[in-house]
Amino acid sequence: MATTDAEIERVRELVASIPPGRVSTYGDIAAAAGLSTPRTVGWIMRTDSADLPWHRVLRANGTPAPHLAHRQLAELIAEGCPVADGRVVLRRARFRFDET
């Protein structure tokens, strides 16, 4: 099933709403957007996120994608996000979309 323009825009809105120093996971965003899989969020982020705070979206274990790890963690640390051993401390930094 193809991803609709409305789904893409919803994911973009959710990512844009993550405040500095906070993060969300692909799964959190998928659930909030009503998508069946976090992979759809990953696809949207790969193809349409240049103008978004992409660095605030992580894998479920709090780690960035390996090819972006250094840059992504540096941006998160600069925002005050808690990082330990190459991963974000999700219990302290995870943004819940119902907080907005």
Side-chain angles (χ1 to χ4, degrees):
M1 188 163 103
T3 304
T4 68
D5 288 345
E7 290 169 332
I8 292 169
E9 286 310 308
R10 180 65 179 142
V11 167
R12 289 178 50 77
E13 289 169 8
L14 290 166
V15 172
S17 74
I18 303 168
R22 304 291 297 278
V23 297
S24 188
T25 68
Y26 292 98
D28 294 339
I29 295 166
L35 299 173
S36 61
T37 176
R39 291 179 184 268
T40 303
V41 176
W43 175 81
I44 293 168
M45 294 299 294
R46 279 191 307 278
T47 59
D48 191 22
S49 68
D51 61 333
L52 296 174
W54 61 269
H55 59 284
R56 298 180 190 146
V57 181
L58 301 166
R59 299 188 294 184
N61 65 359
T63 61
H67 69 286
L68 297 170
H70 181 74
R71 181 176 169 204
Q72 190 168 9
L73 289 174
E75 291 202 34
L76 290 169
I77 289 167
E79 290 184 351
C81 194
V83 173
D85 298 321
R87 73 180 62 216
V88 170
V89 182
L90 287 177
R91 72 180 178 279
R92 290 180 39 215
R94 188 178 228 154
F95 178 71
R96 303 287 183 186
F97 291 102
D98 56 6
E99 293 177 18
T100 57

